Amino acid sequence: MNTSPRPIYLDCNSTTPVDEQVMAAMIPFFTQHFGNPASASHQYGWEAEAAIQQAREQLAAAIAATPEEIIFTSGATEANNLAIKGVAEAYLDRGKHIITVATEHNAVLDPCRYLRSLGFDITFLPVQPDGLINLSDLENALRPDTILVSVMAANNEIGVLQPIAEIGALCHQRGVLFHTDAAQAIGKIPLDVNAMQIDLMSLTAHKVYGPKGIGALYVRRRNPRVQLAPQLHGGGHERGMRSGTLYTPQIVGFAAAVQLGIDQMVAETARVSQLRDRLWQQLNQLDGISLNGHPTQRLAGNLNISVDGVDGHALLLGLQPHVAVSSGSACTAAKATPSHVLQAIGRSDSLAYASLRFGIGRFNTEAEIDRVGGQAIATIQALRKTSVAL
Ligand SMILES: *Cc1c(COP(=O)(O)O)cnc(C)c1O
């Protein structure tokens, strides 16, 4: 076994550890209150159903929705698939045009590309160099046959926050449904489906110190009532929109995690953004470091930088023993492709490769940030020295 200390975890946009309080809330539902929430004939079922109802109410309240508008799924990937494919199928007679954005997560882009292969017309809006969409681009893209607009609340790579309320207002003015992937946003920034005029919203637990494998789709029931074609057929759970036995411990943990996120939101946003700014100030002492994404309109814990004059792969390898971060390239087998998000904001391939995404979270400390800052600076300086020598 490797006995050296594990690298400092700074990859909270990828996933987060389960908070101990969340874990404690989940445990009784594995072995004790294990009933099938759909079993209406005995106490085991009632206990599970009561816990799920409470979680549903808590989650609904967290986004100003009603409990009937929460459809539990296995996570945001499934919620995005259900929203996009479910709306496409249900509104076939209204049109076949969907608008999304080039910087969306693949869990939005791939269902859209799939629909395109079936004959739908998809508009992938560009973004400005700061990562935000231009509202007039969206306005100009809307057509009489547009059935859905899907724009993420917070970007998973560069952390930028799209103007969700303005997008919602525009969509509703034009009678078009608005879906947002809020996987990175829930528990981090305030979300209100009415104030923001959101019709469908994808959520997940594991980016907010909850368990993996659980999420939800918010589906508006009034003004307008959203129609959705189910993508999983079976026992008719979740009012027929998503069949499958509900996963009680995960659902209880999901609600507890979101509640903790909201309870701590103001204090944590301040603490984590202070750590993020501290890291940025340290790194920015070097020449040739640039910030990816809007400087202020972003998630508190996200710092994404490009480093000029170093090889991206060498940079990641150099940091790997010390810090767990992501880079702007998705390495598959032998081939690396630059991040589609960094390409969309206009970064060259080499700057997209030589990028680092720091995801700072609840359990990171100032001492850790200073160690990472020092380590990153030493690694970058060493790499630049060798490339000059070559
Ligand atoms: C993590 C993430 C997803 C995928 O969520 P899962 O629950 O892991 O399926 C989708 N969209 C965004 C923006 C994400 O950050």
Side-chain angles (χ1 to χ4, degrees):
M1 238 185 71
N2 186 353
T3 53
S4 58
R6 293 168 85 206
I8 293 167
Y9 190 78
L10 280 188
D11 201 12
C12 288
N13 297 112
S14 171
T15 195
T16 54
V18 173
D19 192 291
E20 297 283 355
Q21 290 183 63
V22 170
M23 189 66 188
M26 291 171 67
I27 284 186
F29 293 93
F30 285 103
T31 53
Q32 215 179 332
H33 307 298
F34 60 85
N36 186 328
S39 299
S41 59
H42 53 70
Q43 190 181 345
Y44 297 84
W46 304 333
E47 286 167 2
E49 170 54 24
I52 284 171
Q53 182 56 22
Q54 198 193 331
R56 204 187 287 282
E57 284 168 13
Q58 226 173 350
L59 286 164
I63 58 169
T66 64
E68 303 73 40
E69 294 175 315
I70 304 292
I71 306 295
F72 288 113
T73 65
S74 61
T77 299
E78 189 192 332
N80 287 339
N81 272 266
L82 176 57
I84 294 165
K85 294 192 273 191
V87 163
E89 209 180 315
Y91 290 83
L92 259 184
D93 56 342
R94 281 217 15 216
K96 286 188 148 193
H97 180 230
I98 294 174
I99 300 172
T100 187
V101 183
T103 51
E104 293 290 313
H105 193 278
N106 279 323
V108 164
L109 295 176
D110 282 348
C112 287
R113 292 184 189 116
Y114 170 73
L115 288 173
R116 187 171 58 185
S117 79
L118 299 183
F120 283 80
D121 192 3
I122 315 289
T123 299
F124 296 95
L125 292 176
V127 293
Q128 305 169 121
D130 62 10
L132 298 176
I133 66 163
N134 186 335
L135 284 170
S136 57
D137 286 349
L138 172 59
E139 198 164 2
N140 293 335
L142 287 166
R143 310 191 315 214
D145 62 336
T146 307
I147 53 172
L148 181 70
V149 168
S150 181
V151 181
M152 69 201 321
N155 187 274
N156 49 295
E157 291 191 33
I158 56 176
V160 299
L161 309 176
Q162 296 290 356
I164 292 305
E166 286 85 345
I167 296 168
L170 186 55
C171 289
H172 274 202
Q173 205 183 308
R174 302 284 287 265
V176 176
L177 294 178
F178 174 40
H179 166 251
T180 187
D181 176 350
Q184 296 282 342
I186 184 73
K188 313 272 176 55
I189 61 168
L191 293 171
D192 181 321
V193 293
N194 297 317
M196 297 171 166
Q197 303 192 47
I198 295 164
D199 298 308
L200 300 120
M201 180 158 69
S202 300
L203 305 175
T204 191
H206 76 93
K207 311 274 172 73
V208 63
Y209 313 94
K212 294 170 186 57
I214 188 70
L217 181 65
Y218 156 77
V219 184
R220 178 173 288 282
R221 300 239 297 173
R222 289 185 58 219
N223 306 319
R225 183 184 182 92
V226 176
Q227 307 296 317
L228 210 55
Q231 303 298 305
L232 276 182
H233 302 86
H237 307 77
E238 300 299 85
R239 288 181 317 291
M241 290 203 230
R242 200 277 190 179
S243 288
T245 299
L246 291 176
Y247 194 178
T248 316
Q250 307 301 96
I251 289 170
V252 167
F254 180 17
V258 168
Q259 191 61 54
L260 265 183
I262 289 174
D263 291 346
Q264 302 182 4
M265 190 184 287
V266 173
E268 268 299 279
T269 300
R271 193 188 73 88
V272 164
S273 57
Q274 192 248 323
L275 293 181
R276 189 262 322 272
D277 294 347
R278 186 180 178 94
L279 183 58
W280 170 236
Q281 277 155 20
Q282 291 177 15
L283 298 175
N284 200 27
Q285 287 168 14
L286 295 177
D287 290 330
I289 308 283
S290 47
L291 179 69
N292 293 316
H294 195 284
T296 55
Q297 193 64 23
R298 64 192 300 130
L299 289 170
N302 176 278
L303 179 67
N304 191 313
I305 61 165
S306 282
V307 184
D308 204 9
V310 303
D311 172 65
H313 189 61
L315 178 60
L316 199 62
L317 278 183
L319 283 174
Q320 234 159 38
H322 315 287
V323 53
V325 286
S326 286
S327 84
S329 63
C331 299
T332 50
K335 182 169 146 277
T337 50
S339 146
H340 69 279
V341 174
L342 297 180
Q343 283 181 317
I345 63 170
R347 291 296 182 205
S348 64
D349 280 3
S350 62
L351 278 182
Y353 282 126
S355 69
L356 295 169
R357 178 187 69 180
F358 299 96
I360 303 164
R362 186 175 293 169
F363 303 111
N364 292 120
T365 63
E366 197 170 275
E368 285 181 331
I369 294 300
D370 290 348
R371 259 164 47 221
V372 168
Q375 200 57 250
I377 289 169
T379 305
I380 292 165
Q381 284 175 330
L383 286 173
R384 282 181 174 164
K385 208 170 283 173
T386 51
S387 64
V388 167
L390 285 175

